[in-house]
Amino acid sequence: MKKTSQPIIIDSGIPGPILTIIGWTHGNETCWVQAIDSIKDTLKIKRWKLFLIYGNIEAIEKNERQIDLNLNRMFRDESTFTTLEKETIEYKRSREIIPYLDASDASLDLHSSPSIGSPAFIICESNCAPVVEDFPFDIRCYGFTDMEPGWTDGYMNSRWKIGICVECGNHNAPDAVEKALMSVEKFLQYFDMIDIQDSWIPKKSQEIFVAKYAYKTLTEDFRIVKIFSDFEDVESWQIIGYDGSEGVFVEYSGKILFARDRNQIGVEGFVVISSI
């Protein structure tokens, strides 16, 4: 079913803050679809306004992560883009979404992972910590805004707004949809758009990690030496992959995220995080 490029707008009729929930920023991440599609026609909010946005429309239609570039690195200032980047599907889509982010006070971006057994976790900066403390996740990561510009949450944070990303685990994990739905519920509850539901759970402590560095590819042929699970332990000087013919090693011991083969220059090969 073709998805609309325009947001689904749920309006209480009471003026006030605007929230945005985005899913399918990557076209093959499906858990959000079931979550949002199950509420978009029935959700009632008691105040303010909500935008529900389908992310990469072209990638959704092709069931691909992306068409040209990673949409979740395209929410950057205009001056940072090359002429070639401005010709991509993802650049054009980001420019369609940005006005809704600009109009919003807070955003929630829902993701899932292709990695089997990938833990569910939150990515947000410290200003968002009170919002996510009741989210159904044991792990929160921060420090990505400057290291990896272009995320929707980083875009919001750079404008002194609330920007949150949740990774709900593997696409097909039994509880991925449940975590996506509960994240939406907790997000709306925090801003008092809906009343507390039956699925409310008590606050619990979250393990906190900070991003140490991201490796950016130098060639169009970056290949990892094995499949790395998200949050797998890595040691200083451990080999992660090859960028062309050159070996790529970990600079700091910690845990690895988002290690994937890449066929583009200047994109994220992997991220290393550490516990605080």
Side-chain angles (χ1 to χ4, degrees), residues 22-26 32 53-58 60 71 93 97:
I22 304 174
W24 256 349
T25 300
H26 300 128
W32 105 274
I53 296 179
Y54 294 101
N56 195 333
I57 303 298
E58 297 285 342
I60 291 168
L71 176 59
R93 181 60 180 147
I97 293 173

Side-chain angles (χ1 to χ4, degrees), residues 33-65:
V33 184
Q34 298 174 61
I36 300 302
D37 279 1
S38 70
I39 66 171
K40 65 183 176 63
D41 295 325
T42 58
L43 178 64
K44 305 294 184 183
I45 58 176
K46 61 183 185 179
R47 64 182 71 197
W48 305 326
K49 184 185 294 186
L50 175 65
F51 297 141
L52 302 178
I53 296 179
Y54 294 101
N56 195 333
I57 303 298
E58 297 285 342
I60 291 168
E61 293 302 310
K62 296 183 178 181
N63 193 31
E64 299 284 350
R65 175 180 171 82

Side-chain angles (χ1 to χ4, degrees), residues 181-199:
L181 270 171
M182 191 172 289
S183 298
V184 170
E185 181 180 303
K186 299 302 181 187
F187 184 62
L188 298 178
Q189 284 175 10
Y190 180 85
F191 291 98
D192 200 27
M193 278 191 167
I194 62 172
D195 293 322
I196 293 176
Q197 307 296 306
D198 292 339
S199 58

